Amino acid sequence: MKRTYMLALAWLAIGIGIGIGSSAHAASTPTTDQLEAHPWQLTRATDAQGKRIDALFVRGRAPYTLRFQPGYMSELNLCNQASSHYHLQDDRLILESGIRTTALCINPKVDAQERRAETLFHGRDTAPTLALDDTGALVVRNAKGEVLVFKPAPLPAK
């Protein structure tokens, strides 16, 4: 029994040493093809202190969603819709020439969600970084230390 336990520990140490089991934090820079393959729905958002950004989640509404199409990134499921030209510069998301509709948000929670979403990508800060984690989620980190996790969603039916 003791020999089996020691042998298992040795194999575990060897496996970790060569990278087996160490992919829990593996990440890769997404390509435009990967970004444009489907919409991305927000599943988790934390501030620099690791606290959940509650304003980005409104009960009973579809999640805040990013949709990448050739040359454009749209922000969906807010009170207003927004779209910007985008391109990638290494792992950085560069947004330019954005437009946004200007409808009045009647629901105060949706209004708060939209105002908070505006600060994520569209500030004077440096461009956010993008990564795909080992589960296929899109992880966005901005200069303020906020971390957003978006899961891939199916494309709408035509």
Side-chain angles (χ1 to χ4, degrees):
M1 171 89 165
K2 185 175 182 180
R3 183 170 184 219
T4 303
Y5 177 73
M6 294 302 286
L7 187 58
L9 285 176
W11 278 108
L12 179 62
I14 291 169
I16 291 172
I18 62 171
I20 297 173
S22 62
S23 66
H25 300 298
S28 63
T29 301
T31 64
T32 55
D33 286 343
Q34 289 171 314
L35 291 174
E36 294 170 8
H38 35 70
W40 298 89
Q41 294 181 335
L42 184 66
T43 58
R44 192 171 68 233
T46 55
D47 64 16
Q49 291 72 42
K51 184 178 178 221
R52 184 176 191 257
I53 304 173
D54 290 328
L56 292 174
F57 302 91
V58 178
R59 185 183 306 267
R61 286 188 54 93
Y64 175 51
T65 300
L66 303 179
R67 178 74 173 110
F68 293 89
Q69 294 176 304
Y72 291 92
M73 181 190 90
S74 298
E75 297 172 77
L76 309 172
N77 300 330
L78 300 170
C79 183
N80 288 286
Q81 302 299 308
S83 183
S84 300
H85 289 280
Y86 93 93
H87 68 274
L88 299 176
Q89 189 174 62
D90 298 319
D91 66 345
R92 301 243 175 231
L93 173 65
I94 310 298
L95 298 175
E96 302 168 327
S97 305
I99 59 169
R100 179 178 297 273
T101 61
T102 58
L104 178 64
C105 296
I106 296 172
N107 182 328
K109 289 185 178 186
V110 177
D111 185 53
Q113 178 191 38
E114 181 165 294
R115 282 185 284 114
R116 187 62 175 92
E118 287 177 8
T119 69
L120 300 172
F121 299 104
H122 307 285
R124 292 184 206 171
D125 300 324
T126 59
T129 61
L130 303 180
L132 289 177
D133 72 10
D134 60 343
T135 68
L138 178 64
V139 180
V140 179
R141 289 181 171 82
N142 66 19
K144 294 180 265 185
E146 296 168 328
V147 179
L148 310 166
V149 178
F150 294 85
K151 294 284 184 178
L155 288 168
K158 290 185 176 184

